[in-house]
Amino acid sequence: MTVTRLLGVTALALVLAACSEPAEPAPEHGYVAGAEELSEPRSAIAYAADGGRTLRLLDLATTEDVGIGLRIAARELSEDGRFLYLTDGDRTLEIVDAGVWTVDHTDHVHYYRAPAKSIGTLTLETPITSVAGDGGHTAIGTAGGTVVVLDRRALESGEIREVSRFGDTASAVPYEDLLLAARDGQIVTVDAAGRRVGAMQAPCATPAGWVVLRGGALLACDTHFVRVKRAAPGFEAEVVPAPGLRPLSPAGFGFRPRSNEAAVADDGGIWSLNAPKATARHLPMAGVRAAASPADGNTVLSLGENGTLRSHDLASGKELAAAKTAATRLTLDVNRAYLTEPATGVIREIDYRDGLRTARTFPAAVRPDLAVEVGR
C-alpha cells in the first residue's frame, strides 16, 4: 500500500502481461500490512468540485479535512467502502485508496485505517458507464459492452492489476466470489474471466443500478428488481415485482451499511426494498432527487429536488419530519445522514433518529458537487 502508480500505455501492457498471476489471498480478517485496527469505524466524507483536481477527505471523528491531488478533472465519484472511483466523464478512471474501511463478518466487524492516496489511473477505449467493487474484484462497465475486471486485492497493495476483459455484457457487479453479469437480457453469474458459472438466471433487459446488502444483491431492471443470494451449492435469483417502475434517479440506492434494506427514487416516488424478503414497496411522491433507508423497517428518507430532507412513515407514506436545506446529495451510516450543499459550501450531519436534527455543520474546503461516504 505504499506505492502510487500511474498506468500509462507501457505500464498497462506490463500489467496485462502479468494478469494471469493471481494475487495472494488477503488474510480472512481483512488486515493489510501497515494498517491500524480501530475499535470503531473511521468514516469520512470524500468530496470534490465538479471538474476539480483535488479530492477532499473529511474525517468525521476528528473533523480533519485533507486534500489528495488528482491526475484527472473529476466529473463522477463512487465508492465501494474503501476505494474511491473517479472518472473524467469519459474514458479515464482514477482510483483513490481512502485509507479507511470496514470488514464485515456478520457476527462481528473489524475497522481499519491506513494512509490515503491516489493509486493511479486507467484509460479505456470507450466511455466508462459503471464501476462496482466488492471482495476480490472491481468491475468497470463501458459503453462498448466490454467489462474490465481489476484485482481489488491488488488495489490494497497500491497496484492496478487487470484480471480480464470480456464483452457482450451491459454491466457486471462483483458479489462474493463471482460477478453478476447482464447478458442477453438475463442476469447470470460469471467468473472473473466472464465464463458462465452455474445455471442461475433472471430476466433483466436493461440493468439500471444495484446494491449489495447483507441479505443479497438487488439489481434494478426495466420493469422489476432482481434479488440474488447464495443458495447452496450456488446462487439463486428471484424477480421482485415493481409495477409502474420508472427510470431511477442517478443518485442510486441509499442504504445503511450492514443492513438488509435500501431505497431508491424514480420519477414517481420512492421504492423501499428488503433483500431477505425480496420485496419492494412504492411510495408515490413528486420531485424526489434521492432516497435512503435507515433500515428500521418503519421509515424512509427522501431528498427533494428543492433540497428538503424528509422522513416518511413506510406504511402510509406520511411525512414525519422535514428539514429545509440546499443539499444535492444524501448518504447515511448507522447513526447519521450527511447532506452536501454545493451552493452554500457546507456539509451537514443529520440525526435521522431525532426529527432530522442538524447535529453538526462542516465548512467545505472546495465546492462539494461530488460526495460519498467511505469507511462506514
Side-chain angles (χ1 to χ4, degrees), residues 17-310:
C19 69
S20 61
E21 296 294 328
E24 289 294 325
E28 181 181 352
H29 68 308
Y31 174 77
V32 174
E36 175 189 2
E37 184 164 6
L38 307 172
S39 60
E40 57 187 18
R42 197 61 173 268
S43 299
I45 301 296
Y47 66 98
D50 185 18
R53 290 182 176 268
T54 301
L55 177 70
R56 307 294 306 189
L57 286 170
L58 170 64
D59 187 317
L60 293 169
T62 67
T63 71
E64 181 183 15
D65 192 327
V66 298
I68 297 175
L70 299 174
R71 297 169 173 88
I72 66 170
R75 296 292 185 187
E76 297 170 340
L77 171 63
S78 61
E79 51 82 28
D80 66 11
R82 173 176 180 176
F83 297 104
L84 294 152
Y85 303 102
L86 301 104
T87 80
D88 62 354
D90 190 20
R91 300 180 299 116
T92 301
L93 171 73
E94 182 162 359
I95 303 176
V96 173
D97 185 347
V100 286
W101 69 98
T102 297
V103 178
D104 180 16
H105 293 298
T106 305
D107 60 339
H108 68 283
V109 181
H110 293 274
Y111 309 107
Y112 296 98
R113 178 177 61 183
K117 59 185 176 294
S118 174
I119 298 174
T121 63
L122 181 66
T123 299
L124 304 179
E125 288 75 18
T126 56
I128 296 166
T129 55
S130 65
V131 185
D134 187 60
H137 304 108
T138 294
I140 308 166
T142 68
T146 295
V147 168
V148 178
V149 181
L150 303 181
D151 184 334
R152 187 172 176 275
R153 293 197 173 98
L155 296 178
E156 297 173 359
S157 299
E159 179 183 359
I160 297 179
R161 181 184 299 168
E162 186 172 321
V163 175
S164 69
R165 296 186 181 204
F166 54 87
D168 301 321
T169 303
S171 63
V173 178
Y175 181 54
E176 298 198 6
D177 54 342
L178 297 175
L179 294 97
L180 307 178
R183 181 174 289 171
D184 299 326
Q186 304 282 332
I187 298 295
V188 299
T189 48
V190 302
D191 64 14
R195 297 180 292 252
R196 180 79 182 270
V197 177
M200 188 213 83
Q201 64 180 38
C204 190
T206 310
W210 69 89
V211 62
V212 176
L213 303 172
R214 271 188 169 174
L218 290 163
L219 298 96
C221 302
D222 48 341
T223 61
H224 58 274
F225 297 94
V226 170
R227 193 282 313 276
V228 178
K229 70 174 184 177
R230 182 173 286 281
F235 294 86
E236 68 177 19
E238 182 172 346
V239 171
V240 182
L245 180 63
R246 299 183 185 182
L248 299 186
S249 162
F253 290 85
F255 62 100
R256 200 189 76 194
R258 297 175 293 285
S259 72
N260 281 318
E261 298 175 60
V264 65
D266 73 1
D267 287 348
I270 296 173
W271 290 94
S272 176
L273 299 106
N274 183 295
K277 297 178 181 179
T279 58
R281 177 182 296 175
H282 189 247
L283 276 63
M285 61 186 72
V288 180
R289 180 192 296 272
S293 172
D296 57 8
N298 299 311
T299 62
V300 67
L301 303 177
S302 71
L303 179 64
E305 292 287 352
N306 63 357
T308 299
L309 179 68
R310 292 182 169 87

Side-chain angles (χ1 to χ4, degrees), residues 323 325 348-351 354 356-361:
T325 77
R348 296 187 185 275
E349 181 181 80
I350 304 292
D351 187 343
D354 186 18
L356 304 184
R357 173 180 60 87
T358 296
R360 294 187 291 177
T361 301

